[in-house]
């Protein structure tokens, strides 16, 4: 029976079983979403801790939107295991949501995609025509290049044993308004019938638009350039945040004025660009452009601007402390926030790390207050402040992450605990006029030092 008939003949979604390989920030909400849409779900993760946490009905990710929505173990449509071999034979469709990081030399790391694909394809029953969908962010060509050789090595036949497709995740951690059940999706696949079947499937998950966009590479390219565009836009305002203060102009005044134009896209300069998407995905595009011999100069330059922000900010902080007559050796700086993004407890690629390293290289001590991050995960060189009332004798506070807990705090009390009330707003979210009235000396990214 073809895939269109398989969907048409479903009495209930429970009769279709969806596998999700990788229960992280994307996979777990995806598994929950399909379970809530009535499907039978098998969730697989290599981490026994993750499996045990999810089985206990708890949330192993740092994303608060996933709290208390993990199905309780009682549901007979909810199966969690570390074994791909156990899960895959039960599934009609398998979604792969594994990490696609970059290596230390900034090259795409496809090892998780390859390993997950291998484990899935080895477990597919012959003749089942199981659809395997990659959701992880990759560059155009990766799904076919990585998975087709594995399928061939196993002697599996496309259209008889297995079909492959690509449907990029568009999950936004910490943003309930754009969760897996309320975000548009695109589906790429060489077989239009399978593409249409997946449109039917994902339309049961999300209330937004789902469309078949043609071959795998189109969907792969759409996803990676979504994030490339965002990185370039952020790089523009970060570069402007270095230019305008040199003209004694505050970049935020300029951006707010420009934003009165109907099609100006407003971004905000910061201490840097973190996370597992925006600072990573452009390297996938750079790699692919290099493979086909076409230079990606703008994409590369934008990455360089954003990667340079922590060092730029560190130099500005040193200037501030030097002008205050402080020698680096005896100076302590308090980071308000460490996570790469507000209201999320995720340190991946956080600019806080290179910023702290740059200050340490100049002999400046760094303490961090971030209630969203597990105290165990900070680098050893960092003094962790778990209770802000205990933060004493710092010479400068730096807002690194715009958590509510780091913005809406008792600034009057903190000012009294500091050696001197100095603050650097690294995310341009603080009410600097209000803080000045409380006696704070205020500085900020993109704001003239004078
Ligand atoms: N950032 C800035 N200035 C900005 C916006 C962001 O410095 O104007 C920084 C943030 O502080 C953070 C980094 O960039 O360190 C990334 O922030 P982000 O808001 O892009 O958040 P992410 O990394 O969680 O990106 C996700 C992505 N979602 C998916 O890949 C499915 C991205 O495509 C979304 O556009 C983004 O969320 C979003 O819109 O919030």
């Amino acid at each position: 029976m073809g895939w269109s008939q398989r969907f048409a003949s479903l009495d209930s979604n429970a009769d279709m079983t969806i596998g999700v390989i990788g229960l992280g920030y994307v996979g777990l909400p995806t598994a929950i979403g399909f379970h809530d849409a009535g499907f039978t779900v098998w969730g697989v993760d290599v981490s026994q801790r993750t499996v045990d946490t999810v089985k206990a009905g708890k949330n192993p990710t740092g994303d608060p939107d996933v709290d208390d929505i993990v199905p309780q173990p009682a549901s007979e449509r909810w199966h969690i295991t570390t074994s791909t071999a156990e899960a895959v034979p039960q599934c009609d469709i398998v979604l792969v949501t594994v990490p696609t990081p970059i290596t230390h030399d900034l090259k795409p790391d496809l090892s998780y995609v390859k390993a997950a694909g291998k484990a899935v394809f080895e477990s597919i029953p012959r003749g089942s025509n199981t659809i395997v969908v990659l959701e992880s962010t990759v560059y155009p060509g990766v799904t076919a290049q990585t998975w087709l050789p594995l399928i061939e090595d196993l002697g599996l036949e496309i259209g008889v044993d297995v079909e492959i497709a690509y449907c990029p995740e568009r999950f936004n951690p910490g943003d309930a308004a754009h969760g897996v059940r309320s975000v548009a999706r695109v589906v790429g696949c060489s077989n239009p019938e399978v593409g249409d079947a997946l449109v039917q499937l994902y339309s049961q998950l999300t209330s937004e638009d789902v469309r078949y966009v043609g071959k795998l590479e189109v969907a792969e390219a759409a996803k990676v350039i979504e994030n490339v565009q965002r990185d370039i836009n952020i790089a523009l305002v970060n570069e402007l945040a270095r230019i305008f203060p040199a003209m004694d102009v505050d970049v935020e005044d300029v951006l707010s004025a420009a934003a009165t134009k109907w099609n100006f896209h407003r971004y905000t300069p910061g201490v840097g660009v973190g996370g597992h998407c925006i600072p990573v995905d452009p390297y996938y595009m750079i790699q692919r452009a290099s493979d086909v011999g076409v230079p990606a100069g703008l994409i590369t330059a934008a990455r360089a601007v954003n990667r340079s922000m922590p060092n730029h900010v560190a130099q500005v902080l040193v200037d501030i402390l030097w002008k205050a007559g402080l020698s680096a050796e005896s100076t302590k700086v308090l980071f308000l926030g460490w996570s790469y993004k507000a209201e999320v407890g995720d340190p991946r690629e956080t600019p806080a790390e290179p910023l702290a390293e740059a200050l340490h290289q100049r002999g400046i001590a760094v303490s961090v207050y971030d209630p969203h991050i597990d105290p165990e995960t900070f680098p050893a060189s960092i003094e962790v402040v778990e209770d802000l009332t205990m933060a004493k004798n710092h010479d400068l506070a730096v807002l690194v992450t715009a958590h509510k807990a780091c913005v809406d705090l008792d600034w009057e009390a903190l000012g009294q605990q500091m050696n001197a009330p100095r603050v650097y707003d690294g995310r341009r979210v603080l009410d600097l006029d209000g803080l000045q009235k409380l006696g704070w000396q205020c500085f900020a990214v993109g704001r003239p030092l004078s």
Side-chain angles (χ1 to χ4, degrees):
M1 181 192 300
W3 267 101
S4 303
Q5 291 92 325
R6 278 170 82 164
F7 268 98
S9 66
L10 276 183
D11 293 332
S12 116
N13 284 349
D15 298 336
M16 181 161 283
T17 303
I18 310 297
V20 179
I21 312 295
L23 299 177
Y25 277 91
V26 175
L28 183 56
T30 299
I32 294 167
F34 277 109
H35 175 267
D36 292 351
F39 291 91
T40 298
V41 171
W42 279 80
V44 180
D45 200 286
V46 289
S47 156
Q48 187 64 55
R49 175 189 167 278
T50 296
V51 165
D52 293 345
T53 305
V54 175
K55 274 183 162 177
K58 292 187 172 46
N59 167 21
T61 71
D63 182 352
D65 289 333
V66 184
D67 286 340
D68 62 56
I69 59 169
V70 179
Q72 298 315 310
S75 164
E76 77 287 352
R77 290 186 293 106
W78 182 250
H79 309 277
I80 304 297
T81 175
T82 55
S83 165
T84 302
E86 178 191 7
V88 166
Q90 312 298 324
C91 299
D92 299 295
I93 297 175
V94 178
L95 313 179
V96 178
T97 54
V98 294
T100 46
I102 45 175
T103 59
H104 66 279
D105 57 349
L106 306 179
K107 296 289 183 199
D109 175 359
L110 301 173
S111 60
Y112 297 91
V113 171
K114 192 164 188 172
K118 188 168 184 297
V120 169
F121 300 134
E122 284 172 343
S123 311
I124 284 181
R126 300 284 163 155
S128 64
N129 204 21
T130 304
I131 300 179
V132 185
V133 186
L134 181 60
E135 292 203 0
S136 311
T137 302
V138 292
Y139 55 77
V142 164
T143 309
Q145 284 166 11
T146 310
W147 280 2
L148 289 180
L150 298 172
I151 289 169
E152 204 173 305
D153 290 350
L154 289 164
L156 294 173
E157 192 179 339
I158 297 284
V160 174
D161 308 312
V162 66
E163 287 279 5
I164 61 171
Y166 184 75
C167 179
E169 57 87 4
R170 283 177 168 165
F171 187 63
N172 184 16
D175 172 2
H178 293 101
V180 286
R181 309 217 64 187
S182 53
V183 71
R185 307 293 295 261
V186 292
V187 174
C189 179
S190 58
N191 178 338
E193 186 194 3
V194 172
D196 292 339
L198 289 173
V199 167
Q200 287 187 65
L201 175 75
Y202 281 100
S203 298
Q204 305 262 337
L205 174 68
T206 177
S207 54
E208 297 301 307
D209 175 51
V210 182
R211 70 180 67 177
Y212 174 56
V213 295
K215 61 184 183 177
L216 290 164
E217 290 75 8
V218 172
E220 290 169 326
K223 165 65 188 188
V224 76
I225 66 149
E226 287 162 17
N227 287 342
V228 168
Q229 181 191 62
R230 190 164 174 82
D231 196 49
I232 290 172
N233 281 315
I234 297 167
L236 172 62
V237 296
N238 280 336
E239 182 159 90
L240 297 176
R242 300 175 66 157
I243 295 170
F244 285 117
M247 304 176 188
D248 201 25
V249 169
D250 186 334
V251 73
E252 276 293 295
D253 295 342
V254 175
L255 293 172
S256 298
T260 58
K261 182 169 182 281
W262 70 92
N263 61 356
F264 182 84
H265 299 284
R266 185 63 157 92
Y267 289 83
T268 308
V271 296
V273 174
H276 53 289
C277 300
I278 309 306
V280 171
D281 299 353
Y283 292 112
Y284 278 84
M285 197 66 248
I286 292 165
Q287 177 65 50
R288 196 75 185 100
S290 165
D291 292 347
V292 296
V294 179
L298 175 61
I299 301 170
T300 304
R303 275 285 73 229
V305 168
N306 287 334
R307 282 176 69 83
S308 76
M309 286 310 285
N311 270 319
H312 163 71
V313 168
Q315 189 49 58
V316 170
L317 299 181
V318 168
D319 291 349
I320 291 168
L321 294 165
W322 179 75
K323 286 195 171 110
L326 295 166
S327 67
E329 290 63 38
S330 60
T331 302
K332 264 192 0 170
V333 169
L334 172 64
F335 280 12
L336 298 171
W338 183 265
S339 180
Y340 86 89
K341 182 178 190 179
E343 311 319 319
V344 169
D346 187 346
R348 283 179 288 185
E349 302 290 323
T350 179
E353 193 144 9
L355 177 57
E357 277 163 21
L359 294 174
H360 281 149
Q361 281 163 13
R362 293 167 169 88
I364 295 171
V366 174
S367 313
V368 181
Y369 169 71
D370 188 327
H372 292 267
I373 297 276
D374 178 344
E376 304 305 311
T377 55
F378 289 104
S381 56
I382 297 290
E383 182 206 10
V384 181
V385 173
E386 293 190 66
D387 173 354
L388 211 44
T389 62
M390 306 305 285
K392 304 288 188 195
N393 307 322
H394 289 91
D395 301 289
L396 177 66
V398 182
L399 183 79
V400 174
T401 314
H403 294 315
K404 291 186 189 71
C406 295
V407 174
D408 305 333
L409 52 84
D410 184 345
W411 288 95
E412 194 150 9
L414 182 61
Q416 286 154 14
Q417 295 161 218
M418 304 277 291
N419 285 341
R422 295 185 197 93
V423 63
Y424 181 92
D425 180 358
R427 290 294 176 195
R428 298 310 303 261
V429 292
L430 296 178
D431 169 14
L432 298 179
D433 294 340
L435 288 174
Q436 271 166 338
K437 291 190 179 88
L438 289 177
W440 284 84
Q441 201 183 352
C442 297
F443 307 92
V445 60
R447 180 177 158 128
L449 273 187
S450 53

